[in-house]
Amino acid sequence: MTLALAVCIAVLVGAGSYLLMGRNLPRLLFGIVLLGHAANLVIFTLGGGARAGAPIVPEGSDRLAAGHADPVSQALVLTAIVIGFAMLAFCAVLFERVQKATGDLDVDALRPGDEEGDGS
Amino acid sequence: MNLLVVLPVLVPLSAAALGLLAWPRPRLQRAIGVVGSLGLLVTGVALLQRTWSGAVLHSTLGGWSAPFGITLRIDLLGALMITLAGLMGAAAAVTALRSIDRRREELGFHPLLQGLLLGVSGAFSTGDMFNLYVWFEVMLISSFALLSLGASRAQLLGGARYVVLNLLSSLLFLTALGFLYGMARSLDMADLAVRLPALQSEHPQLVLAASGLLFVSFLLKAGVFPLYFWLPPSYPTAPTAVAAVFAGLLTKVGVYALIRVHGSVMPSSPLLFEVALVLGALTMVLGVLGAVAQMDLRRILSFHILSQIGYMVVAFGLLVSEEPAVRRLGVAAAILYITHHIIVKTNLFLVGGLVRELGGSFDLARLGGLRGRTPWLAALFAVPALSLAGIPPLSGFWAKLAVLEAAVAAGRPVIVAVAAGAGLLTLLSMLKIWNQAFWREAPGELAADAGAGSEDRAGRWALVVPVVVLALCTLAIGFYAEPFVAAAGRAADVLLTVPSMAMEVGR
């Protein structure tokens, strides 16, 4: 299971990096999303997420059964997912506004040129 | 629970929340913004007073004891940074009273500024790696929003580049945290500092991978070559108050993280420190060369940020040395430089705002004659500009001297030569601004909205007061440098030696 997760992470990082180097802004966004998933999976896998036992204390016992998954790493992943989602939402709107401002979604449109803010 | 330790987070958080509640009433929002920033400043001073002699304040949240819970840990360096964050926040909030247009205020400028201060102070006060990541994200999303507020074309374009690269940096940080947690089962900084050397002998590649990923992530945030290309397009597009707080605080949070994590948490890696030295030296030179080529005031200042970051990273990189005395000198020099630079850089951007207000433009080709028309502005520019260039007896001189001293002690003549050369070029660049904007006669076509109608003078105190206060701080550090230098030395001591002790206190 851990091996499968490792392969999955590798595929996500590869695909994400490839998309990140693309010319199209939405593709770039997807690249970031995939890399974010990869990072979350790293935390999850290295935190022992591949183990089968749920981290819940069984009835009548006062400690977790052996072979349980680590709840802390899952909590970390949850936080990271939420933060990533907020960033994704912001980026999506930002890129949409860029498209409205420049007329296309090409990364080259982001070149600074001679624009200056009005400094107000 | 020690309330004082939580205040750096609580004050900006409350100010942001209250600011949001006061949404339809901009005057109330402005008041909350200024009061919140001043509150952070006062908190910082109180923390400084407690930690000045080297004590470390800590508090575990939620009743979970270390290392299972999240610990807030504030030492002298943290307190110093929080104070500076409060000071810069106050300067920005006061400037924004006059300089921010109504539309941005309506879109929530003041709560966002408090959100930025929240992320920054949280990062300075935390003792847990994942918590550091969370505060970085808070800071980042607030800065994204502040940058693109108002959504002019320039801001969107500059902002998009800034957003993507900083997101990448966060992902690298997160991956490294995954490695660290997998190995150590805890992300508490003091715990890691104690246990990583043993873990390093078990899993050397994993520790090196985590260390390297964190290193790259912080270099990107700090703005070090070759990861700094996001900065010059984005900072000049922001409004004055925003650019000032960005320039002063955001990159320094990256440098702080570098010093904190690689200086006291991760085991020493000579390779990384050597790389830091080389990249820092390159950043020093390339940043100032970029500045010399520009004709727009804010672009010049943005490139100078990069160059000065190079000084701090070089001082940090001197940790490569084997001798503890040299390591201490290096970290102390970096801390002193951070302190000096935050104040000077914010001040320069605020002065830039005043130049635009009174001279009509940021473009050096269209400015001129400000020395004759507004001699006080010339003086207010001269103080931070000469300090940036390292002219005695201003704060920049002591900071640069500390870096050079540390480099000499480490036996690195190349670094000394590069640092001195970059300082000369910085002076050249500042003189160019002085010449173009202040000394020479105004060119024929003065920018249309130069000068002042009497109604423009109304709120102008809000632009001038922060500049004056920050200039006084620079003069104070310059003329009474000894306490600051000593404090930087003590902060370096605490940073480099405390982690092992903190664990016993925590448990």
Side-chain angles (χ1 to χ4, degrees):
Chain A
M1 174 69 165
T2 307
L3 182 60
L5 280 172
V7 169
C8 206
I9 293 171
V11 167
L12 281 174
V13 172
S17 310
Y18 174 74
L19 287 176
L20 205 55
M21 292 188 268
R23 286 194 62 163
N24 197 337
L25 276 179
R27 275 205 190 160
L28 203 143
L29 190 58
F30 275 119
I32 299 218
V33 168
L34 288 184
L35 284 176
H37 288 329
N40 290 333
L41 271 183
V42 165
I43 304 182
F44 178 72
T45 312
L46 286 176
R51 287 183 236 138
I56 300 177
V57 179
E59 190 90 28
S61 160
D62 66 346
R63 46 187 70 244
L64 290 166
H68 65 90
D70 188 348
V72 177
S73 75
Q74 294 177 1
L76 296 178
V77 171
L78 271 175
T79 311
I81 290 177
V82 169
I83 293 177
F85 179 67
M87 296 291 178
L88 164 64
F90 181 85
C91 276
V93 176
L94 183 66
F95 290 166
E96 192 236 343
R97 297 303 293 275
V98 167
Q99 199 235 355
K100 281 214 182 106
T102 62
D104 69 50
L105 279 167
D106 199 289
V107 169
D108 287 340
L110 296 181
R111 191 148 294 154
D114 292 317
E115 357 264 349
E116 293 301 333
D118 58 1
S120 64
Chain B
M1 188 178 69
N2 191 347
L3 180 63
L4 187 58
V5 179
V6 187
L7 276 183
V9 166
L10 209 50
V11 168
L13 183 58
S14 320
L18 288 174
L20 285 174
L21 284 175
W23 194 283
R25 304 176 54 187
R27 286 205 169 174
L28 191 51
Q29 274 190 322
R30 285 176 213 153
I32 293 173
V34 173
V35 168
S37 309
L38 289 173
L40 184 60
L41 174 60
V42 167
T43 308
V45 171
L47 284 166
L48 264 184
Q49 191 233 354
R50 296 282 181 88
T51 57
W52 190 253
S53 52
V56 176
L57 304 173
H58 64 203
S59 169
T60 47
L61 296 180
W64 296 97
S65 59
F68 305 108
I70 293 181
T71 313
L72 296 181
R73 193 170 288 117
I74 303 184
D75 60 0
L76 180 52
L77 175 61
L80 198 55
M81 304 296 292
I82 292 173
T83 311
L84 289 169
L87 186 58
M88 298 311 124
V94 172
T95 304
L97 293 178
R98 168 75 156 91
S99 78
I100 290 289
D101 57 309
R102 185 65 193 252
R103 182 154 164 264
R104 282 199 180 87
E105 270 192 337
E106 284 173 3
L107 291 169
F109 170 83
H110 282 283
L112 280 172
L113 182 61
Q114 294 304 310
L116 181 64
L117 291 177
L118 169 66
V120 167
S121 350
F124 292 149
S125 61
T126 186
D128 178 275
M129 294 289 290
F130 194 78
N131 203 218
L132 185 65
Y133 165 76
V134 173
W135 290 128
F136 269 26
E137 297 306 287
V138 171
M139 180 182 86
L140 228 50
I141 193 80
S142 307
S143 71
F144 293 168
L146 280 172
L147 193 56
S148 10
L149 213 56
S152 79
R153 181 195 161 95
Q155 282 152 355
L156 286 176
L157 299 187
R161 187 179 295 224
Y162 171 75
V163 164
V164 171
L165 282 172
N166 274 280
L167 276 183
L168 197 56
S169 152
S170 300
L171 290 175
L172 294 175
F173 193 169
L174 198 55
T175 313
L177 288 183
F179 290 157
L180 281 177
Y181 184 76
M183 275 187 289
R185 285 283 173 265
S186 133
L187 286 172
D188 184 86
M189 284 187 194
D191 192 32
L192 284 175
V194 166
R195 293 172 44 203
L196 271 175
L199 287 169
Q200 191 178 28
S201 33
E202 283 177 43
H203 314 277
Q205 292 92 355
L206 263 185
V207 172
L208 185 63
S211 198
L213 280 171
L214 288 171
F215 188 63
V216 172
S217 169
F218 297 147
L219 285 186
L220 207 158
K221 288 222 189 320
V224 175
F225 179 80
L227 300 168
Y228 63 27
F229 293 100
W230 55 270
L231 200 152
S234 55
Y235 280 25
T237 66
T240 298
V242 172
V245 107
F246 277 19
L249 288 180
L250 286 190
T251 41
K252 292 350 154 268
V253 178
V255 179
Y256 166 85
L258 202 58
I259 297 178
R260 175 72 71 187
V261 172
H262 285 90
S264 73
V265 175
M266 306 298 295
S268 288
S269 165
L271 172 67
L272 285 185
F273 295 142
E274 198 66 49
V275 169
L277 274 178
V278 171
L279 291 182
L282 279 173
T283 311
M284 269 197 264
V285 171
L286 293 173
V288 75
L289 285 179
V292 163
Q294 301 295 328
M295 281 301 281
D296 176 275
L297 184 57
R298 288 178 306 171
R299 286 238 175 119
I300 295 178
L301 293 176
S302 300
F303 273 99
H304 275 301
I305 300 176
L306 302 176
S307 174
Q308 304 291 309
I309 291 285
Y311 279 91
M312 297 175 228
V313 172
V314 157
F316 156 79
L318 291 171
L319 279 170
V320 71
S321 164
E322 299 283 321
E323 303 162 46
V326 173
R327 296 159 61 91
R328 179 189 180 277
L329 268 180
V331 177
I335 295 174
L336 185 62
Y337 212 99
I338 292 176
T339 310
H340 138 77
H341 188 248
I342 290 181
I343 299 177
V344 166
K345 204 79 232 187
T346 302
N347 202 1
L348 277 172
F349 269 92
L350 292 178
V351 168
L354 268 175
V355 165
R356 161 72 166 77
E357 173 87 7
L358 296 171
S361 168
F362 284 111
D363 186 351
L364 286 185
R366 295 166 64 195
L367 286 169
L370 282 173
R371 183 183 61 94
R373 282 193 286 139
T374 51
W376 51 270
L377 183 60
L380 284 179
F381 170 75
V383 169
L386 292 177
S387 185
L388 193 76
I391 303 294
L394 296 169
S395 61
F397 171 71
W398 301 110
K400 282 192 163 60
L401 184 64
V403 174
L404 290 176
E405 234 184 328
V408 166
R412 299 270 174 166
V414 175
I415 301 285
V416 176
V418 169
L424 276 176
L425 285 174
T426 309
L427 179 61
L428 175 69
S429 179
M430 290 294 122
L431 283 177
K432 177 168 108 175
I433 300 179
W434 171 262
N435 247 348
Q436 293 285 105
F438 294 93
W439 188 260
R440 66 165 188 172
E441 291 307 315
E445 12 94 35
L446 203 56
D449 38 355
S454 54
E455 73 278 0
D456 286 344
R457 286 187 205 255
R460 202 167 271 167
W461 65 269
L463 298 178
V464 177
V465 166
V467 173
V468 171
V469 169
L470 292 179
L472 287 174
C473 291
T474 300
L475 288 169
I477 300 180
F479 284 106
Y480 297 104
E482 211 272 325
F484 293 97
V485 175
R490 267 202 309 280
D493 281 329
V494 172
L495 186 109
L496 288 172
T497 60
V498 161
S500 46
M501 285 156 47
M503 269 327 294
E504 286 142 39
V505 176
R507 286 223 174 103

